[in-house]
Amino acid sequence: MQQPGMLAGKVAIVTGAGRGIGRAVALLMANEGARVIVNDIGAALDGAGRSDDPAASVVAEIQAAGGQAIASTLSITEYTNAQAIVEQAVQAFGRVDIVVNNAGILRDRIFHKMSPQDFTDVLNVHLIGSFNLSSAAAPLMREQKAGAFVHMTSTSGLVGAVGQVNYMAAKMGIVGLSRGIAMDMQAFGVRSNCVAPFAWSRMVDSIPAKTPEQEARLQRAQTVTPEKVAPLVAFLACDAAREVTGQIFGVRKNEVYLFNQPRPIRTLHKSDGWTVGALAEQVASLRTQFTPLEDTAGVFSWPAN
Ligand SMILES: NC(=O)c1ccc[n+]([C@@H]2O[C@H](COP(=O)([O-])OP(=O)(O)OC[C@H]3O[C@@H](n4cnc5c(N)ncnc54)[C@H](O)[C@@H]3O)[C@@H](O)[C@H]2O)c1
């Protein structure tokens, strides 16, 4: 007899589930027994345009494999849409146990050329969108005394990336959103965690490879598939992760990481108070422990394996 899946009986909403990582998460969750709302507006990488096709085709894939899913093509940037998506899940499947905030866009620009529109559009999808859907689902989860949020952050935020001030701000904002939800909803048995994924998708494909080293790195990146991200996300959403909340994980091919979270690492104390001059003298002693301005490739310098 076939074992029931790790998500049997659960209802999951996965945003940006028409492509890339979200698609892999939706397919795996359905395979593990969840009924899934496949939300995706079918936008271009920069957020432009709309198509029903990506969401519909993932729903068809899930159904063809014997799972249950319905499509949603509403943008999570509007609060009323987020409420409608939750309502759609309740109407179709009776509850909401899991929200995966995965939808995303990119508008990479060097900071001095980044327009207010580039900044707010990226914040609106990643951060405001994640707030919208989390907020819309929260009262239900509170009532159920159970629920799990998984939010996609990025090492581009946690570590850094040139030309991504908007994306970095959004992804670090999501870390705060997740941690705050974990703290506020702990009393109701609701959990919230972040995942910083690595996966070959059109998002990564958009990063220009200018040098032979960058080209080699991109070729290696193609072996890091979205399907490698999905098990960690599905695990964080399932009851076996009941002790796990407020954390930041990463996944790159077959590696899973737990990230640290900012804590003071050194203290300077001056009993008669600080002056600018005294700081100028003393802060130098911290220099060896400054966090260098390195990017993701600088921190994850070994090949994905
Ligand atoms: N691919 C990576 O290596 C990587 C690395 C770090 C973080 N991430 C994060 O993982 C998530 C998924 O990335 P991906 O690489 O699979 O991207 P992707 O571009 O392949 O998929 C993102 C999907 O989100 C959808 N979307 C965009 N705006 C939306 C909106 N307003 N409402 C609903 N859907 C919307 C798009 O139509 C698209 O199908 C993103 O949050 C991304 O920032 C990805």
Side-chain angles (χ1 to χ4, degrees):
M1 199 177 75
Q2 206 186 343
Q3 294 286 322
M6 297 285 283
L7 297 173
K10 306 275 188 206
V11 176
I13 302 173
V14 184
T15 70
R19 296 191 183 96
I21 294 167
R23 171 181 168 274
V25 168
L27 290 171
L28 181 63
M29 285 190 163
N31 196 44
E32 289 290 344
R35 288 161 290 167
V36 184
I37 307 291
V38 176
N39 167 260
D40 201 303
I41 59 170
L45 187 58
D46 67 358
R50 292 286 182 276
S51 165
D52 293 355
D53 299 349
S57 79
V58 172
V59 167
E61 274 187 90
I62 290 173
Q63 289 171 344
Q68 290 186 61
I70 50 174
S72 152
T73 54
L74 296 175
S75 171
I76 38 108
T77 55
E78 299 300 324
Y79 194 76
T80 50
N81 285 350
Q83 289 175 309
I85 296 165
V86 169
E87 188 53 36
Q88 185 188 14
V90 172
Q91 291 286 326
F93 300 134
R95 53 192 290 122
V96 175
D97 302 285
I98 299 160
V99 168
V100 182
N101 283 313
N102 167 83
I105 64 167
L106 286 181
R107 295 275 178 83
D108 294 4
R109 298 260 190 290
I110 200 81
F111 183 54
H112 61 275
K113 293 186 179 161
M114 185 173 284
S115 70
Q117 196 71 50
D118 291 333
F119 188 79
T120 47
D121 284 356
V122 167
L123 267 282
N124 276 341
V125 177
H126 289 273
L127 182 58
I128 307 297
S130 297
F131 165 79
N132 286 344
L133 195 56
S134 304
S135 166
L140 263 182
M141 291 185 175
R142 178 180 180 273
E143 222 170 90
Q144 290 169 188
K145 295 210 175 338
F149 293 101
V150 184
H151 318 268
M152 293 298 166
T153 183
S154 173
T155 57
S156 293
L158 300 170
V159 177
V162 170
Q164 292 198 314
V165 162
N166 47 6
Y167 188 68
M168 287 185 67
K171 290 307 199 187
M172 287 301 265
I174 284 174
V175 169
L177 175 83
S178 176
R179 179 103 185 159
I181 293 172
M183 296 183 87
D184 284 6
M185 301 205 72
Q186 186 179 26
F188 311 118
V190 177
R191 301 179 299 103
S192 179
N193 291 287
C194 280
V195 171
F198 289 73
W200 179 257
S201 72
R202 64 179 191 163
M203 236 182 223
V204 183
D205 203 16
S206 74
I207 302 169
K210 290 180 185 147
T211 64
E213 292 76 35
Q214 286 172 344
E215 181 60 42
R217 203 176 132 236
L218 275 188
Q219 277 175 12
R220 275 201 310 276
Q222 286 178 10
T223 68
V224 186
T225 61
E227 286 68 29
K228 293 286 185 182
V229 176
L232 176 65
V233 178
F235 162 70
L236 290 171
C238 87
D239 291 340
R242 66 180 68 80
E243 306 292 330
V244 189
T245 190
Q247 303 306 308
I248 308 165
F249 292 88
V251 54
R252 192 179 68 148
K253 207 169 178 176
N254 298 319
E255 298 168 340
V256 168
Y257 318 103
L258 175 66
F259 282 91
N260 62 2
Q261 298 186 41
R263 296 288 181 275
I265 52 170
R266 286 275 304 275
T267 308
L268 295 174
H269 176 259
K270 200 166 183 304
S271 53
D272 55 348
W274 290 96
T275 61
V276 177
L279 280 166
E281 275 173 26
Q282 292 295 311
V283 168
S285 71
L286 301 179
R287 197 166 291 156
T288 55
Q289 284 177 291
F290 281 2
T291 306
L293 277 180
E294 57 197 349
D295 64 7
T296 296
V299 173
F300 293 85
S301 52
W302 63 100
N305 59 74

